Amino acid sequence: MAKIGEKVSVTKKAENMIRSLQADHGDLMFHQSGGCCDGSAPMCYPKGEFKVGSSDILLGEIEGCEFYMSCSQYEHWKHTHLTVDLVKGRGAGFSLESPRGYRFLIRSKVL
Amino acid sequence: MDQEVKLTTDIAIDQLKGTLNFRERYDNFIGGDWVPPADGQYFENTTPITGKKLGEVARSNKLDIDRAISEAHKAEKSWGKTSPAERAGLLLKIADRLETHLEDIAIAETLDNGKPLRETMAADIPLAVDQIRYFAACIRTQEGSISEIDNDTVAYHFHEPLGVVGQIIPWNFPILMAIWKIAPALATGNCIVLKPAEQTPTSIMLVIELIADLLPPGVLNVVNGFGVEAGKPLAQHSGISKVAFTGETTTGRLIMQYASENIIPVTLELGGKSPNIFFADVMNEDDDFFDKALEGLTMFALNSGEVCTCPSRALIEESIYDSFMERAIERIKKIKTGSPLDLSTMIGAQASNDQYEKILSYISIGKEEGAKALIGGEALKHSGELSGGYYIAPTVLEGKNNMRCFQEEIFGPVLAATTFKNEEEALTLANDTLYGLGAGVWSRDGTRCYRMGRGIKAGRVWTNCYHHYPAHAAFGGYKQSGIGRENHKMMLEHYQQTKNLLVSYSPKALGFF
């Protein structure tokens, strides 16, 4: 699996949530989703829960969590830098922060 | 509907208390009973119309899923052996019951999701009723097959139910998407454990209560909760024979991964970034057809853009672009915003705060990439009780197909518009996406429409129309938009095993031994 430079960072709010989730769930990972409903949102899982493979790319690490995206999606995202933020909400999907009434959200900047 | 009294969320809730026994707290529906969640926890559900609390639903976990699957297995033994006529009869009764209460169910759906009442009245609920009737008809007319292998040997092919299936429902059409999955699964004799979306967990419970007396206990079980706490144990459970999911790609992959642990089939509908292609000849006349084409472009705002097939990429032939967009923007300006409970409102609230924030973040990156907002491009601020709701102005971003706002499903009322020079470029742009769920082609030239329709790699190509969802037309994705189809009788086989009886009527040994 390819690894590219650090293309992802994290806001203070999101960082605090990651630390709090780590306290409950241990090591974590992120995989950036695409498609409908909660697509385009980053999903946070216990480390190893989501099986990454040769179709994924490692964008970097945030708070000790590896952040992955599918290579095909990365082709459309590679000109942007991503910041993981946190907003109030209730995303669907299996992301760990949802039951707390918050949702990780991607904010992007053109590189 | 008589709308002399202006519906507010409070009046609507009061009305539903009288008509659909709306309650402020819903337990799970398991084995034909309302069952409190195993650990006694509930979570708050808000209405996106105001951002205020609508009620509470069960916050379930693996124990509740275990219980629901156990009850489903008990029911499956007899339900799987009922006759097609009996199952069809039940479906028809359910459809009649829903139709009788169509207006109240529509109000419940609008409260839960935030979509305009005119849409839930005219689309969501009537389509749900029709879907149920359609599958009642399909199962009565389905036939197995007989193959004559040789003069004395016959292969019989029977359809058998899978058993107990797990279904995970999205929040954009909470009732209709549930019915899309429930109707074929029940028609084919399966029992269901269904998990609604945590953003929209209430409206489906009103529907269940309305039809509870019709359902044999355990045939349809509904367990609410968060994805990680309730959805995951459902998708991972060794007691299910199939899982159906509508949502996004990462969860879709995770569900396939869980299904691989139990070697069970999945059907997935994971969204798209559907092109809507307008050839120059649509403007040859300023007639009904052109009017229809303009409406076709404006369909990006249907359901506030929260549709997997939202026609969110408009590809417009360069020679007409300026004049076409001028008329299109005029049309978009006529979209009436306001309370989703007002029958004249055309665009309602986004389903949740996180969705609202995500749409705004996409508009922001779109502008940063150089896209130009031709209209909208911002949140919509309402006053009064709507001031706490989640509203986005219908937006058109003019840009290029390689921008992120052209490549990702924003799931909001945001149209990305660009031009093409000729048919070849139109097809290239249409297919330059990771997804392939829907597409639209608009032209007065039927042969060109046909060529484009066959060339576009998407499961459905609306041709000179958009956003029709008849039960008798297959719906599903190419590429990363998913696996399998919904609607159409072919859906029956997504919920069935094939049993082959290979029968010899010859008394003679083969002669090997």
PDB file of all heavy atoms in Angstrom, chain A residues 31 33-36 39-40 49 51 56 72 77 79-80 88 90 108 110, chain B residues 44 199 248-250 253 257-258 308 353 358 368-369 404 408-409 435:
ATOM      1  N   HIS A  31     -10.751   5.951   7.825  1.00  0.00           N
ATOM      2  CA  HIS A  31     -10.858   5.715   6.383  1.00  0.00           C
ATOM      3  C   HIS A  31     -11.853   6.721   5.817  1.00  0.00           C
ATOM      4  O   HIS A  31     -12.974   6.833   6.316  1.00  0.00           O
ATOM      5  CB  HIS A  31     -11.313   4.285   6.072  1.00  0.00           C
ATOM      6  CG  HIS A  31     -11.128   3.922   4.624  1.00  0.00           C
ATOM      7  ND1 HIS A  31     -12.058   4.226   3.662  1.00  0.00           N
ATOM      8  CD2 HIS A  31     -10.097   3.310   3.983  1.00  0.00           C
ATOM      9  CE1 HIS A  31     -11.611   3.810   2.485  1.00  0.00           C
ATOM     10  NE2 HIS A  31     -10.430   3.243   2.646  1.00  0.00           N
ATOM     11  N   SER A  33     -14.548   8.160   3.524  1.00  0.00           N
ATOM     12  CA  SER A  33     -15.601   7.567   2.709  1.00  0.00           C
ATOM     13  C   SER A  33     -15.932   8.420   1.488  1.00  0.00           C
ATOM     14  O   SER A  33     -15.566   9.592   1.407  1.00  0.00           O
ATOM     15  CB  SER A  33     -16.857   7.365   3.554  1.00  0.00           C
ATOM     16  OG  SER A  33     -17.766   6.540   2.862  1.00  0.00           O
ATOM     17  N   GLY A  34     -16.649   7.801   0.558  1.00  0.00           N
ATOM     18  CA  GLY A  34     -17.190   8.511  -0.601  1.00  0.00           C
ATOM     19  C   GLY A  34     -18.611   8.036  -0.814  1.00  0.00           C
ATOM     20  O   GLY A  34     -19.091   7.156  -0.100  1.00  0.00           O
ATOM     21  N   GLY A  35     -19.298   8.629  -1.792  1.00  0.00           N
ATOM     22  CA  GLY A  35     -20.642   8.148  -2.102  1.00  0.00           C
ATOM     23  C   GLY A  35     -21.713   8.832  -1.285  1.00  0.00           C
ATOM     24  O   GLY A  35     -21.498   9.906  -0.735  1.00  0.00           O
ATOM     25  N   CYS A  36     -22.875   8.170  -1.183  1.00  0.00           N
ATOM     26  CA  CYS A  36     -24.053   8.897  -0.721  1.00  0.00           C
ATOM     27  C   CYS A  36     -24.189   8.925   0.795  1.00  0.00           C
ATOM     28  O   CYS A  36     -23.368   8.390   1.522  1.00  0.00           O
ATOM     29  CB  CYS A  36     -25.320   8.375  -1.388  1.00  0.00           C
ATOM     30  SG  CYS A  36     -26.179   7.036  -0.608  1.00  0.00           S
ATOM     31  N   GLY A  39     -21.320   9.786   2.831  1.00  0.00           N
ATOM     32  CA  GLY A  39     -20.128   9.768   1.997  1.00  0.00           C
ATOM     33  C   GLY A  39     -19.388  11.077   2.159  1.00  0.00           C
ATOM     34  O   GLY A  39     -19.948  12.064   2.630  1.00  0.00           O
ATOM     35  N   SER A  40     -18.131  11.068   1.785  1.00  0.00           N
ATOM     36  CA  SER A  40     -17.282  12.262   1.905  1.00  0.00           C
ATOM     37  C   SER A  40     -16.965  12.594   3.349  1.00  0.00           C
ATOM     38  O   SER A  40     -16.364  13.607   3.635  1.00  0.00           O
ATOM     39  CB  SER A  40     -17.890  13.497   1.242  1.00  0.00           C
ATOM     40  OG  SER A  40     -18.516  13.158   0.047  1.00  0.00           O
ATOM     41  N   GLU A  49      -9.955  -2.648  12.403  1.00  0.00           N
ATOM     42  CA  GLU A  49     -11.355  -3.042  12.180  1.00  0.00           C
ATOM     43  C   GLU A  49     -11.682  -3.057  10.683  1.00  0.00           C
ATOM     44  O   GLU A  49     -12.352  -3.964  10.186  1.00  0.00           O
ATOM     45  CB  GLU A  49     -12.292  -2.064  12.893  1.00  0.00           C
ATOM     46  CG  GLU A  49     -13.774  -2.301  12.662  1.00  0.00           C
ATOM     47  CD  GLU A  49     -14.319  -3.427  13.523  1.00  0.00           C
ATOM     48  OE1 GLU A  49     -13.666  -3.789  14.506  1.00  0.00           O
ATOM     49  OE2 GLU A  49     -15.403  -3.953  13.186  1.00  0.00           O
ATOM     50  N   LYS A  51     -10.403  -3.433   6.991  1.00  0.00           N
ATOM     51  CA  LYS A  51      -9.256  -4.037   6.305  1.00  0.00           C
ATOM     52  C   LYS A  51      -8.849  -3.179   5.110  1.00  0.00           C
ATOM     53  O   LYS A  51      -9.561  -3.130   4.122  1.00  0.00           O
ATOM     54  CB  LYS A  51      -9.616  -5.443   5.826  1.00  0.00           C
ATOM     55  CG  LYS A  51     -10.094  -6.388   6.918  1.00  0.00           C
ATOM     56  CD  LYS A  51      -8.950  -6.948   7.751  1.00  0.00           C
ATOM     57  CE  LYS A  51      -9.435  -7.988   8.747  1.00  0.00           C
ATOM     58  NZ  LYS A  51     -10.115  -7.398   9.938  1.00  0.00           N
ATOM     59  N   ASP A  56      -5.978   1.004  -1.287  1.00  0.00           N
ATOM     60  CA  ASP A  56      -6.006   2.162  -0.379  1.00  0.00           C
ATOM     61  C   ASP A  56      -4.656   2.855  -0.329  1.00  0.00           C
ATOM     62  O   ASP A  56      -3.624   2.252  -0.602  1.00  0.00           O
ATOM     63  CB  ASP A  56      -6.383   1.701   1.037  1.00  0.00           C
ATOM     64  CG  ASP A  56      -7.776   1.132   1.092  1.00  0.00           C
ATOM     65  OD1 ASP A  56      -8.733   1.889   0.839  1.00  0.00           O
ATOM     66  OD2 ASP A  56      -7.906  -0.074   1.361  1.00  0.00           O
ATOM     67  N   SER A  72      -8.475   5.327  -5.761  1.00  0.00           N
ATOM     68  CA  SER A  72      -9.260   5.929  -6.837  1.00  0.00           C
ATOM     69  C   SER A  72      -9.839   7.273  -6.389  1.00  0.00           C
ATOM     70  O   SER A  72      -9.875   8.240  -7.150  1.00  0.00           O
ATOM     71  CB  SER A  72     -10.368   4.976  -7.287  1.00  0.00           C
ATOM     72  OG  SER A  72     -11.153   4.562  -6.177  1.00  0.00           O
ATOM     73  N   TRP A  77      -8.745  13.785  -5.145  1.00  0.00           N
ATOM     74  CA  TRP A  77      -8.559  14.611  -3.951  1.00  0.00           C
ATOM     75  C   TRP A  77      -7.118  15.088  -3.793  1.00  0.00           C
ATOM     76  O   TRP A  77      -6.812  15.845  -2.873  1.00  0.00           O
ATOM     77  CB  TRP A  77      -8.907  13.801  -2.682  1.00  0.00           C
ATOM     78  CG  TRP A  77     -10.351  13.515  -2.459  1.00  0.00           C
ATOM     79  CD1 TRP A  77     -11.221  12.981  -3.353  1.00  0.00           C
ATOM     80  CD2 TRP A  77     -11.093  13.719  -1.242  1.00  0.00           C
ATOM     81  NE1 TRP A  77     -12.462  12.832  -2.763  1.00  0.00           N
ATOM     82  CE2 TRP A  77     -12.410  13.271  -1.472  1.00  0.00           C
ATOM     83  CE3 TRP A  77     -10.774  14.214   0.020  1.00  0.00           C
ATOM     84  CZ2 TRP A  77     -13.410  13.323  -0.490  1.00  0.00           C
ATOM     85  CZ3 TRP A  77     -11.768  14.257   1.000  1.00  0.00           C
ATOM     86  CH2 TRP A  77     -13.069  13.820   0.735  1.00  0.00           C
ATOM     87  N   HIS A  79      -5.042  17.078  -4.999  1.00  0.00           N
ATOM     88  CA  HIS A  79      -4.608  18.476  -5.045  1.00  0.00           C
ATOM     89  C   HIS A  79      -5.086  19.250  -3.821  1.00  0.00           C
ATOM     90  O   HIS A  79      -4.980  20.470  -3.779  1.00  0.00           O
ATOM     91  CB  HIS A  79      -5.125  19.141  -6.329  1.00  0.00           C
ATOM     92  CG  HIS A  79      -6.629  19.137  -6.436  1.00  0.00           C
ATOM     93  ND1 HIS A  79      -7.340  17.989  -6.666  1.00  0.00           N
ATOM     94  CD2 HIS A  79      -7.546  20.138  -6.333  1.00  0.00           C
ATOM     95  CE1 HIS A  79      -8.629  18.277  -6.705  1.00  0.00           C
ATOM     96  NE2 HIS A  79      -8.785  19.574  -6.497  1.00  0.00           N
ATOM     97  N   THR A  80      -5.646  18.533  -2.835  1.00  0.00           N
ATOM     98  CA  THR A  80      -6.165  19.242  -1.662  1.00  0.00           C
ATOM     99  C   THR A  80      -5.561  18.691  -0.375  1.00  0.00           C
ATOM    100  O   THR A  80      -5.170  17.525  -0.300  1.00  0.00           O
ATOM    101  CB  THR A  80      -7.705  19.134  -1.589  1.00  0.00           C
ATOM    102  OG1 THR A  80      -8.091  17.759  -1.606  1.00  0.00           O
ATOM    103  CG2 THR A  80      -8.369  19.837  -2.757  1.00  0.00           C
ATOM    104  N   LYS A  88     -21.237  19.047  15.684  1.00  0.00           N
ATOM    105  CA  LYS A  88     -22.347  18.329  16.297  1.00  0.00           C
ATOM    106  C   LYS A  88     -23.115  17.598  15.206  1.00  0.00           C
ATOM    107  O   LYS A  88     -23.276  18.123  14.105  1.00  0.00           O
ATOM    108  CB  LYS A  88     -23.283  19.314  17.001  1.00  0.00           C
ATOM    109  CG  LYS A  88     -22.719  19.790  18.318  1.00  0.00           C
ATOM    110  CD  LYS A  88     -23.768  20.496  19.134  1.00  0.00           C
ATOM    111  CE  LYS A  88     -23.182  20.784  20.509  1.00  0.00           C
ATOM    112  NZ  LYS A  88     -24.028  21.648  21.319  1.00  0.00           N
ATOM    113  N   ARG A  90     -24.969  13.506  13.844  1.00  0.00           N
ATOM    114  CA  ARG A  90     -25.275  12.116  14.102  1.00  0.00           C
ATOM    115  C   ARG A  90     -25.113  11.343  12.818  1.00  0.00           C
ATOM    116  O   ARG A  90     -26.078  10.916  12.215  1.00  0.00           O
ATOM    117  CB  ARG A  90     -26.710  12.032  14.607  1.00  0.00           C
ATOM    118  CG  ARG A  90     -27.148  10.650  14.907  1.00  0.00           C
ATOM    119  CD  ARG A  90     -28.270  10.658  15.886  1.00  0.00           C
ATOM    120  NE  ARG A  90     -27.784  11.075  17.182  1.00  0.00           N
ATOM    121  CZ  ARG A  90     -28.567  11.602  18.126  1.00  0.00           C
ATOM    122  NH1 ARG A  90     -29.830  11.825  17.892  1.00  0.00           N
ATOM    123  NH2 ARG A  90     -28.062  11.921  19.290  1.00  0.00           N
ATOM    124  N   SER A 108     -11.304  21.169   3.589  1.00  0.00           N
ATOM    125  CA  SER A 108     -10.260  21.001   2.583  1.00  0.00           C
ATOM    126  C   SER A 108      -9.681  22.339   2.143  1.00  0.00           C
ATOM    127  O   SER A 108     -10.371  23.351   2.140  1.00  0.00           O
ATOM    128  CB  SER A 108     -10.835  20.307   1.352  1.00  0.00           C
ATOM    129  OG  SER A 108     -11.543  19.158   1.726  1.00  0.00           O
ATOM    130  N   VAL A 110      -7.038  23.864  -1.077  1.00  0.00           N
ATOM    131  CA  VAL A 110      -6.287  23.562  -2.284  1.00  0.00           C
ATOM    132  C   VAL A 110      -4.806  23.758  -1.977  1.00  0.00           C
ATOM    133  O   VAL A 110      -4.412  24.756  -1.379  1.00  0.00           O
ATOM    134  CB  VAL A 110      -6.710  24.494  -3.443  1.00  0.00           C
ATOM    135  CG1 VAL A 110      -5.833  24.255  -4.673  1.00  0.00           C
ATOM    136  CG2 VAL A 110      -8.174  24.262  -3.790  1.00  0.00           C
TER     137      VAL A 110
ATOM    138  N   GLU B  44     -31.935  10.762  21.750  1.00  0.00           N
ATOM    139  CA  GLU B  44     -32.837  11.823  21.342  1.00  0.00           C
ATOM    140  C   GLU B  44     -32.839  11.957  19.819  1.00  0.00           C
ATOM    141  O   GLU B  44     -31.788  11.905  19.188  1.00  0.00           O
ATOM    142  CB  GLU B  44     -32.351  13.133  21.966  1.00  0.00           C
ATOM    143  CG  GLU B  44     -33.320  14.255  21.869  1.00  0.00           C
ATOM    144  CD  GLU B  44     -32.831  15.484  22.638  1.00  0.00           C
ATOM    145  OE1 GLU B  44     -32.827  15.465  23.882  1.00  0.00           O
ATOM    146  OE2 GLU B  44     -32.452  16.453  21.958  1.00  0.00           O
ATOM    147  N   GLN B 199     -30.397   9.136  12.233  1.00  0.00           N
ATOM    148  CA  GLN B 199     -30.913  10.505  12.058  1.00  0.00           C
ATOM    149  C   GLN B 199     -32.427  10.530  11.905  1.00  0.00           C
ATOM    150  O   GLN B 199     -33.058  11.549  12.139  1.00  0.00           O
ATOM    151  CB  GLN B 199     -30.309  11.171  10.799  1.00  0.00           C
ATOM    152  CG  GLN B 199     -28.854  11.500  10.903  1.00  0.00           C
ATOM    153  CD  GLN B 199     -28.038  10.384  10.303  1.00  0.00           C
ATOM    154  OE1 GLN B 199     -28.459   9.247  10.264  1.00  0.00           O
ATOM    155  NE2 GLN B 199     -26.852  10.718   9.839  1.00  0.00           N
ATOM    156  N   GLU B 248     -22.769   4.710   2.188  1.00  0.00           N
ATOM    157  CA  GLU B 248     -21.567   5.185   1.485  1.00  0.00           C
ATOM    158  C   GLU B 248     -20.503   4.099   1.378  1.00  0.00           C
ATOM    159  O   GLU B 248     -20.664   3.013   1.909  1.00  0.00           O
ATOM    160  CB  GLU B 248     -21.012   6.466   2.112  1.00  0.00           C
ATOM    161  CG  GLU B 248     -21.177   6.656   3.589  1.00  0.00           C
ATOM    162  CD  GLU B 248     -20.578   5.594   4.449  1.00  0.00           C
ATOM    163  OE1 GLU B 248     -19.388   5.303   4.260  1.00  0.00           O
ATOM    164  OE2 GLU B 248     -21.289   5.050   5.314  1.00  0.00           O
ATOM    165  N   THR B 249     -19.417   4.441   0.682  1.00  0.00           N
ATOM    166  CA  THR B 249     -18.486   3.402   0.231  1.00  0.00           C
ATOM    167  C   THR B 249     -17.690   2.756   1.357  1.00  0.00           C
ATOM    168  O   THR B 249     -17.486   1.544   1.340  1.00  0.00           O
ATOM    169  CB  THR B 249     -17.505   3.974  -0.809  1.00  0.00           C
ATOM    170  OG1 THR B 249     -16.828   5.108  -0.236  1.00  0.00           O
ATOM    171  CG2 THR B 249     -18.222   4.402  -2.056  1.00  0.00           C
ATOM    172  N   THR B 250     -17.242   3.537   2.334  1.00  0.00           N
ATOM    173  CA  THR B 250     -16.414   2.928   3.380  1.00  0.00           C
ATOM    174  C   THR B 250     -17.249   1.950   4.203  1.00  0.00           C
ATOM    175  O   THR B 250     -16.814   0.816   4.467  1.00  0.00           O
ATOM    176  CB  THR B 250     -15.787   4.020   4.271  1.00  0.00           C
ATOM    177  OG1 THR B 250     -14.855   4.752   3.478  1.00  0.00           O
ATOM    178  CG2 THR B 250     -15.055   3.421   5.457  1.00  0.00           C
ATOM    179  N   ARG B 253     -17.889  -1.139   2.163  1.00  0.00           N
ATOM    180  CA  ARG B 253     -16.761  -2.085   2.190  1.00  0.00           C
ATOM    181  C   ARG B 253     -16.724  -2.847   3.507  1.00  0.00           C
ATOM    182  O   ARG B 253     -16.449  -4.043   3.545  1.00  0.00           O
ATOM    183  CB  ARG B 253     -15.447  -1.330   1.997  1.00  0.00           C
ATOM    184  CG  ARG B 253     -15.101  -1.084   0.546  1.00  0.00           C
ATOM    185  CD  ARG B 253     -13.813  -0.299   0.387  1.00  0.00           C
ATOM    186  NE  ARG B 253     -12.646  -0.987   0.919  1.00  0.00           N
ATOM    187  CZ  ARG B 253     -11.410  -0.482   0.863  1.00  0.00           C
ATOM    188  NH1 ARG B 253     -11.205   0.699   0.294  1.00  0.00           N
ATOM    189  NH2 ARG B 253     -10.395  -1.143   1.367  1.00  0.00           N
ATOM    190  N   GLN B 257     -16.945  -6.776   4.184  1.00  0.00           N
ATOM    191  CA  GLN B 257     -15.931  -7.462   4.989  1.00  0.00           C
ATOM    192  C   GLN B 257     -16.594  -8.335   6.067  1.00  0.00           C
ATOM    193  O   GLN B 257     -16.223  -9.494   6.253  1.00  0.00           O
ATOM    194  CB  GLN B 257     -15.055  -6.382   5.620  1.00  0.00           C
ATOM    195  CG  GLN B 257     -13.930  -6.872   6.483  1.00  0.00           C
ATOM    196  CD  GLN B 257     -13.304  -5.686   7.227  1.00  0.00           C
ATOM    197  OE1 GLN B 257     -12.970  -4.679   6.630  1.00  0.00           O
ATOM    198  NE2 GLN B 257     -13.161  -5.826   8.535  1.00  0.00           N
ATOM    199  N   TYR B 258     -17.587  -7.763   6.757  1.00  0.00           N
ATOM    200  CA  TYR B 258     -18.307  -8.534   7.777  1.00  0.00           C
ATOM    201  C   TYR B 258     -19.021  -9.721   7.128  1.00  0.00           C
ATOM    202  O   TYR B 258     -19.040 -10.827   7.674  1.00  0.00           O
ATOM    203  CB  TYR B 258     -19.334  -7.661   8.507  1.00  0.00           C
ATOM    204  CG  TYR B 258     -18.741  -6.560   9.357  1.00  0.00           C
ATOM    205  CD1 TYR B 258     -19.434  -5.373   9.569  1.00  0.00           C
ATOM    206  CD2 TYR B 258     -17.497  -6.697   9.961  1.00  0.00           C
ATOM    207  CE1 TYR B 258     -18.913  -4.348  10.350  1.00  0.00           C
ATOM    208  CE2 TYR B 258     -16.964  -5.690  10.748  1.00  0.00           C
ATOM    209  CZ  TYR B 258     -17.677  -4.513  10.940  1.00  0.00           C
ATOM    210  OH  TYR B 258     -17.156  -3.514  11.703  1.00  0.00           O
ATOM    211  N   CYS B 308     -29.463   9.678  -3.736  1.00  0.00           N
ATOM    212  CA  CYS B 308     -28.276   8.988  -4.254  1.00  0.00           C
ATOM    213  C   CYS B 308     -28.082   9.256  -5.740  1.00  0.00           C
ATOM    214  O   CYS B 308     -26.964   9.212  -6.244  1.00  0.00           O
ATOM    215  CB  CYS B 308     -28.406   7.493  -4.030  1.00  0.00           C
ATOM    216  SG  CYS B 308     -28.497   7.080  -2.290  1.00  0.00           S
ATOM    217  N   ASN B 353     -27.478  18.395  11.241  1.00  0.00           N
ATOM    218  CA  ASN B 353     -26.470  19.444  11.324  1.00  0.00           C
ATOM    219  C   ASN B 353     -25.177  19.037  10.631  1.00  0.00           C
ATOM    220  O   ASN B 353     -24.541  19.844   9.945  1.00  0.00           O
ATOM    221  CB  ASN B 353     -26.179  19.783  12.795  1.00  0.00           C
ATOM    222  CG  ASN B 353     -25.135  20.858  12.917  1.00  0.00           C
ATOM    223  OD1 ASN B 353     -25.306  21.956  12.410  1.00  0.00           O
ATOM    224  ND2 ASN B 353     -24.019  20.543  13.559  1.00  0.00           N
ATOM    225  N   LYS B 358     -21.410  19.710   6.200  1.00  0.00           N
ATOM    226  CA  LYS B 358     -20.649  19.082   5.118  1.00  0.00           C
ATOM    227  C   LYS B 358     -20.931  19.779   3.789  1.00  0.00           C
ATOM    228  O   LYS B 358     -20.013  20.036   3.011  1.00  0.00           O
ATOM    229  CB  LYS B 358     -21.011  17.594   5.027  1.00  0.00           C
ATOM    230  CG  LYS B 358     -20.111  16.823   4.084  1.00  0.00           C
ATOM    231  CD  LYS B 358     -20.447  15.353   4.082  1.00  0.00           C
ATOM    232  CE  LYS B 358     -21.563  15.056   3.104  1.00  0.00           C
ATOM    233  NZ  LYS B 358     -21.933  13.638   3.096  1.00  0.00           N
ATOM    234  N   GLU B 368     -13.002  27.596  -3.603  1.00  0.00           N
ATOM    235  CA  GLU B 368     -11.545  27.707  -3.527  1.00  0.00           C
ATOM    236  C   GLU B 368     -10.868  27.097  -4.753  1.00  0.00           C
ATOM    237  O   GLU B 368      -9.823  27.562  -5.194  1.00  0.00           O
ATOM    238  CB  GLU B 368     -11.037  27.015  -2.255  1.00  0.00           C
ATOM    239  CG  GLU B 368      -9.763  27.677  -1.749  1.00  0.00           C
ATOM    240  CD  GLU B 368      -9.094  26.858  -0.677  1.00  0.00           C
ATOM    241  OE1 GLU B 368      -9.778  26.520   0.301  1.00  0.00           O
ATOM    242  OE2 GLU B 368      -7.905  26.549  -0.831  1.00  0.00           O
ATOM    243  N   GLU B 369     -11.495  26.066  -5.305  1.00  0.00           N
ATOM    244  CA  GLU B 369     -10.939  25.442  -6.513  1.00  0.00           C
ATOM    245  C   GLU B 369     -11.217  26.286  -7.757  1.00  0.00           C
ATOM    246  O   GLU B 369     -10.783  25.935  -8.845  1.00  0.00           O
ATOM    247  CB  GLU B 369     -11.541  24.049  -6.713  1.00  0.00           C
ATOM    248  CG  GLU B 369     -10.968  22.990  -5.815  1.00  0.00           C
ATOM    249  CD  GLU B 369     -11.533  21.616  -6.150  1.00  0.00           C
ATOM    250  OE1 GLU B 369     -12.715  21.372  -5.831  1.00  0.00           O
ATOM    251  OE2 GLU B 369     -10.818  20.814  -6.744  1.00  0.00           O
ATOM    252  N   ARG B 404     -13.416  18.937  -7.113  1.00  0.00           N
ATOM    253  CA  ARG B 404     -14.000  17.989  -6.153  1.00  0.00           C
ATOM    254  C   ARG B 404     -15.519  18.110  -6.071  1.00  0.00           C
ATOM    255  O   ARG B 404     -16.196  17.114  -5.830  1.00  0.00           O
ATOM    256  CB  ARG B 404     -13.340  18.145  -4.781  1.00  0.00           C
ATOM    257  CG  ARG B 404     -11.994  17.407  -4.759  1.00  0.00           C
ATOM    258  CD  ARG B 404     -11.330  17.393  -3.415  1.00  0.00           C
ATOM    259  NE  ARG B 404     -12.255  17.110  -2.343  1.00  0.00           N
ATOM    260  CZ  ARG B 404     -11.971  17.294  -1.059  1.00  0.00           C
ATOM    261  NH1 ARG B 404     -10.790  17.763  -0.710  1.00  0.00           N
ATOM    262  NH2 ARG B 404     -12.851  17.021  -0.132  1.00  0.00           N
ATOM    263  N   GLU B 408     -17.576  14.443  -6.078  1.00  0.00           N
ATOM    264  CA  GLU B 408     -18.067  13.836  -4.850  1.00  0.00           C
ATOM    265  C   GLU B 408     -19.535  14.147  -4.635  1.00  0.00           C
ATOM    266  O   GLU B 408     -19.988  15.243  -4.940  1.00  0.00           O
ATOM    267  CB  GLU B 408     -17.270  14.364  -3.664  1.00  0.00           C
ATOM    268  CG  GLU B 408     -15.872  13.805  -3.664  1.00  0.00           C
ATOM    269  CD  GLU B 408     -14.940  14.729  -2.953  1.00  0.00           C
ATOM    270  OE1 GLU B 408     -15.313  15.212  -1.874  1.00  0.00           O
ATOM    271  OE2 GLU B 408     -13.857  14.989  -3.486  1.00  0.00           O
ATOM    272  N   GLU B 409     -20.200  13.180  -4.071  1.00  0.00           N
ATOM    273  CA  GLU B 409     -21.617  13.366  -3.809  1.00  0.00           C
ATOM    274  C   GLU B 409     -21.774  14.288  -2.595  1.00  0.00           C
ATOM    275  O   GLU B 409     -21.483  13.902  -1.469  1.00  0.00           O
ATOM    276  CB  GLU B 409     -22.295  12.024  -3.542  1.00  0.00           C
ATOM    277  CG  GLU B 409     -23.771  12.184  -3.383  1.00  0.00           C
ATOM    278  CD  GLU B 409     -24.527  10.880  -3.563  1.00  0.00           C
ATOM    279  OE1 GLU B 409     -23.975   9.817  -3.278  1.00  0.00           O
ATOM    280  OE2 GLU B 409     -25.672  10.942  -3.996  1.00  0.00           O
ATOM    281  N   TYR B 435     -18.385   6.665  -9.824  1.00  0.00           N
ATOM    282  CA  TYR B 435     -19.699   6.085  -9.559  1.00  0.00           C
ATOM    283  C   TYR B 435     -20.480   5.842 -10.843  1.00  0.00           C
ATOM    284  O   TYR B 435     -20.103   6.341 -11.906  1.00  0.00           O
ATOM    285  CB  TYR B 435     -20.485   7.016  -8.622  1.00  0.00           C
ATOM    286  CG  TYR B 435     -19.701   7.314  -7.362  1.00  0.00           C
ATOM    287  CD1 TYR B 435     -19.040   8.533  -7.204  1.00  0.00           C
ATOM    288  CD2 TYR B 435     -19.589   6.358  -6.363  1.00  0.00           C
ATOM    289  CE1 TYR B 435     -18.291   8.788  -6.060  1.00  0.00           C
ATOM    290  CE2 TYR B 435     -18.847   6.613  -5.228  1.00  0.00           C
ATOM    291  CZ  TYR B 435     -18.198   7.830  -5.071  1.00  0.00           C
ATOM    292  OH  TYR B 435     -17.458   8.066  -3.955  1.00  0.00           O
TER     293      TYR B 435
END
